[in-house]
Amino acid sequence: MDAYFSEIEKLIQVVKEQESACIKEAAQIIVQRLQKGGIIQLFGCGHSQLLAQEAFYRAGGLVPVRPIFIEPLALHAGAIASSINEKDPAIIEQHKEQFDFRENDICIVISTSGRNAAPIDAALLAKHANVFVLSLQSLDYRDQATRHHCGLRLEEVVDLVINTHIPIGDGVLHAHAQNMQYAPASTVIGSLLLNALFSEVIEEIAKTSTELPIFVSNNVDSDWSHNEIMIANYQDRIDFT
């Protein structure tokens, strides 16, 4: 346990030192687009889809956030199947109806390896719609060959990369006698970076606006009319039901 805490603390320090400028740059772009009516759309497969869900309808989080759900890419629909499907070059084309990119939207594609077909196709779809595309990925994998027919990896398709610095294989600890990695870090660091980015977005909006697009927790005694107003503002783009 202590070793895991230690390795996570090291990774947090690395991303704080090396990704802060990128987070601030991304936040500025996101704020400009949100103020023009855009929303943030998040795409991921398998465990990366969990991060897309983490940001959605979140107490203390941004309201204009829409996860892109593709059932065959979700763990609950079949863990082995989801891993196979994210490598399928036809999966995104088969589920294009789940995508609704519009002017001034932002698309965040989450993929630790940045090499599989589905995340790259999602990024390409967003790019073709003139959407600003940001990836949350580990550039430690950059020497791992792409599995996309275009020959490009995710970082070569998107407009901006936030590097999670997750080691290849995800595990930050090693059982040396068995030569195995364990203690995955991608979800912890991915969630940290997403919430850091959205916190920066909120702080930028607060400089010029008194109405912040933040969800208030439904589990504390408060006036929920704020949430109702926020939902009404975005219900034509995001399904909160």
Side-chain angles (χ1 to χ4, degrees):
M1 178 183 73
D2 290 343
Y4 185 68
F5 277 122
S6 177
E7 292 303 316
I8 292 296
E9 286 168 358
K10 289 177 187 176
L11 272 173
I12 289 172
Q13 192 59 34
V14 168
V15 297
K16 182 179 179 182
E17 291 175 356
Q18 298 190 30
E19 303 308 314
S20 290
C22 186
I23 289 171
K24 289 180 181 295
E25 180 184 352
Q28 292 284 349
I29 294 167
I30 290 170
V31 169
Q32 292 169 9
R33 286 177 166 257
L34 291 180
Q35 289 174 336
K36 293 177 181 177
I39 64 171
I40 302 168
Q41 303 204 45
L42 294 101
F43 176 87
C45 307
H47 286 91
S48 293
Q49 192 179 100
L50 300 180
L51 287 173
Q53 294 181 54
E54 153 67 19
F56 176 56
Y57 194 61
R58 196 70 167 84
L62 276 171
V63 176
V65 170
R66 176 184 182 265
I68 301 167
F69 292 122
I70 295 180
E71 192 76 3
L73 296 173
L75 290 170
H76 68 258
I80 294 173
S82 71
S83 182
I84 294 170
N85 288 334
E86 73 172 323
K87 301 172 184 66
D88 182 350
I91 193 74
I92 297 302
E93 180 65 29
Q94 291 168 0
H95 295 271
K96 281 181 70 173
E97 74 281 357
Q98 299 299 112
F99 295 86
D100 178 25
F101 294 129
R102 303 184 194 177
E103 186 178 7
N104 294 311
D105 283 355
I106 307 98
C107 179
I108 301 178
V109 178
I110 308 162
S111 171
T112 297
S113 72
R115 66 187 305 215
N116 289 318
I120 295 170
D121 273 332
L124 288 169
L125 200 63
K127 288 286 290 180
H128 291 157
N130 293 318
V131 167
F132 178 79
V133 188
L134 169 70
S135 69
L136 188 65
Q137 65 178 108
S138 173
L139 294 180
D140 281 25
Y141 283 81
R142 73 179 83 197
D143 293 330
Q144 301 284 313
T146 182
R147 291 173 171 144
H148 195 279
H149 61 83
C150 73
L152 300 176
R153 286 178 43 83
L154 183 60
E155 68 271 16
E156 299 174 292
V157 173
V158 302
D159 298 300
L160 191 65
V161 176
I162 296 180
N163 185 2
T164 64
H165 297 267
I166 298 299
I168 293 175
D170 209 338
V172 293
L173 300 178
H174 295 80
H176 294 289
Q178 292 82 14
N179 192 31
M180 295 188 73
Q181 279 176 272
Y182 64 102
S186 57
T187 304
V188 176
I189 299 302
S191 180
L192 171 84
L193 286 168
L194 275 179
N195 282 298
L197 172 61
F198 292 164
S199 295
E200 185 72 19
V201 168
I202 290 165
E203 288 161 14
E204 284 298 312
I205 293 173
K207 291 177 181 179
T208 57
S209 177
T210 56
E211 184 178 70
L212 299 178
I214 303 170
F215 276 121
V216 175
S217 175
N218 290 326
N219 295 314
V220 297
D221 293 331
S222 62
D223 181 3
W224 293 350
S225 62
H226 171 80
N227 284 1
E228 292 171 356
I229 292 169
M230 290 294 107
I231 289 170
N233 287 345
Y234 292 100
Q235 64 185 359
D236 65 321
R237 297 292 318 276
I238 304 170
D239 183 6
F240 293 108
T241 58

